[in-house]
Amino acid sequence: MPRPFTPKIITANDLLEGDVIYFTDTNGWSRELQEAELIEDEAEAQLRLLEAEKDALHVVGIYLTDAKSGDNGPEPTHFREDFRRTGPSNYRHGKQEAAANV
């Protein structure tokens, strides 16, 4: 018996910069998880994934991942996705650098 569908977001990496990015409801990409489209229907998730894959010249590694609704938008349900959104872990640069200088 298949598992019941759980809400999803679409994520990938920016091809040139390597940043984790999220597909939005306006068919664009954002570096902010809270701007990601939370998809709650399985058929819609597959259609949105096909739409996201049309941008394969700018993004790489496009996939659906589990998420839940949070106070400020979608939140990851798996530690891997929570870890990915913080940026590289080997030293401070990118998102981590910007957060340190706020």
Side-chain angles (χ1 to χ4, degrees):
M1 184 166 151
R3 290 183 179 182
F5 181 80
T6 57
K8 309 274 188 232
I9 58 172
I10 299 172
T11 186
N13 290 89
D14 183 281
L15 185 60
L16 296 178
E17 296 178 12
D19 288 346
V20 175
I21 53 178
Y22 305 96
F23 200 60
T24 68
D25 60 358
T26 59
N27 295 341
W29 294 95
S30 173
R31 286 171 171 72
E32 302 300 324
L33 177 60
Q34 63 267 21
E35 295 177 7
E37 175 184 18
L38 186 64
I39 308 164
E40 300 196 29
D41 177 74
E42 188 171 7
E44 182 69 17
Q46 294 303 317
L47 291 172
R48 298 299 290 150
L49 184 59
L50 289 172
E51 188 66 35
E53 289 173 342
K54 290 180 181 179
D55 201 16
L57 294 175
H58 302 105
V59 298
V60 64
I62 304 167
Y63 64 93
L64 288 164
T65 188
D66 291 336
K68 63 183 179 182
S69 181
D71 292 338
N72 296 316
E75 291 291 331
T77 60
H78 194 276
F79 73 92
R80 178 180 188 270
E81 296 307 320
D82 196 34
F83 184 75
R84 281 183 75 234
R85 74 174 167 171
T86 63
S89 61
N90 55 351
Y91 57 91
R92 292 208 174 273
H93 65 274
K95 292 179 189 178
Q96 293 173 342
E97 175 78 27
N101 292 321
V102 174

